[in-house]
Amino acid sequence: IVVLYTNDVHCGVDSNFGYAGLVSYKNKLLDEGNHVTLVDNGDAVQGEPIGTLSTGSYLIDIMNQAGYDLAIPGNHEFDYGMERFFELVRMAKFPYLSVNFMDLRTGEPVFAPYKILEYDGVKVAYVGVTTPKTFTASTPTYFQDEAGNFIYSFCQGEGGAELYNAVQTAVDAARAEGAAYVVAMAHLGIAAECSPWMSTEVIINTTGIDVMLDGHSHSVLDCERVKNKDGKEVL
């Protein structure tokens, strides 16, 4: 089972090997007999002129053509306003996930917290997590109603416990549904300014996650191992 992931592309469709190279690599892996799932961990639709000129739609077109299976919203997915954000979500041929993007009017997550994919009988759960810093990293008024009341939340309670609990609830539900592995798709970051919502802090304060994919900090990590609440190593 191969999980290919992108994060913080910021419309750099031709940067490095680009989306074309990504698809070629994906097809190579498929030809070798692997199960391949392609996911994006946020900040895909904003950055370069191709995104600005189309308010994100060209990027969704490309991601649809590339065959993405899952995505999560990063903080910059909201930069074109909430109405446009939901238009882009509807354009996508893949679902968005997030345990902590909440609609305060209903008290429910806007998207499914996780999705289980099955590979020859092996169930793998993908859990989405969006940085609570989205409020300040995007435009706060986008998350308010006309009276200035916040109608959306990212589980941004002080100390991080609100976010950790939301993640743990989703992970536990996925495990109860038969997931043999849990992959967290996060847009949290590892810079000190991201605390108490760093991806490493989420690992330390939860159990049941096997792999944490992350974005936001634009850091390049080949692989690190962080011990979770039970002392088990998480990739």
Side-chain angles (χ1 to χ4, degrees), residues 134-147:
T134 296
F135 273 144
T136 53
S138 188
T139 304
T141 54
Y142 290 166
F143 307 104
Q144 301 171 345
D145 62 17
E146 293 178 357

Side-chain angles (χ1 to χ4, degrees), residues 185-206:
M185 294 167 52
H187 193 86
L188 294 170
I190 55 172
E193 66 190 34
C194 299
S195 187
W197 306 300
M198 294 189 294
S199 54
T200 47
E201 291 171 311
V202 170
I203 292 171
I204 290 166
N205 288 281
T206 59

Side-chain angles (χ1 to χ4, degrees), residues 6 9 12-14 17-24 40 44 59 62-63 66 68:
T6 51
V9 173
V13 296
D14 294 323
F17 51 80
Y19 281 115
L22 176 67
V23 172
S24 294
D40 184 79
L59 277 299
I62 292 171
M63 292 171 74
Y68 274 82

Side-chain angles (χ1 to χ4, degrees), residues 47-146:
E48 300 289 334
I50 188 174
T52 306
L53 293 171
S54 67
T55 54
S57 65
Y58 291 166
L59 277 299
I60 297 295
D61 288 342
I62 292 171
M63 292 171 74
N64 283 339
Q65 291 293 326
Y68 274 82
D69 297 290
L70 301 166
I72 66 167
N75 52 291
H76 286 296
E77 257 67 40
F78 299 97
D79 282 6
Y80 306 120
M82 293 301 283
E83 184 177 349
R84 183 55 170 166
F85 168 71
F86 286 115
E87 287 176 353
L88 295 174
V89 168
R90 288 191 292 272
M91 286 173 53
K93 295 179 180 177
F94 46 86
Y96 278 82
L97 307 172
S98 183
V99 301
N100 64 311
F101 176 35
M102 308 292 292
D103 188 330
L104 295 177
R105 295 164 296 185
T106 63
E108 299 292 329
V110 175
F111 301 126
Y114 65 90
K115 185 175 179 63
I116 292 180
L117 299 182
E118 195 165 326
Y119 311 85
D120 290 340
V122 177
K123 292 182 177 181
V124 178
Y126 296 84
V127 177
V129 194
T130 303
T131 176
K133 289 182 70 68
T134 296
F135 273 144
T136 53
S138 188
T139 304
T141 54
Y142 290 166
F143 307 104
Q144 301 171 345
D145 62 17
E146 293 178 357

Side-chain angles (χ1 to χ4, degrees), residues 154-172:
F154 290 91
C155 297
Q156 67 276 6
E158 289 186 15
E162 187 181 358
L163 178 65
Y164 310 151
N165 290 339
V167 172
Q168 190 67 68
T169 298
V171 172
D172 290 347

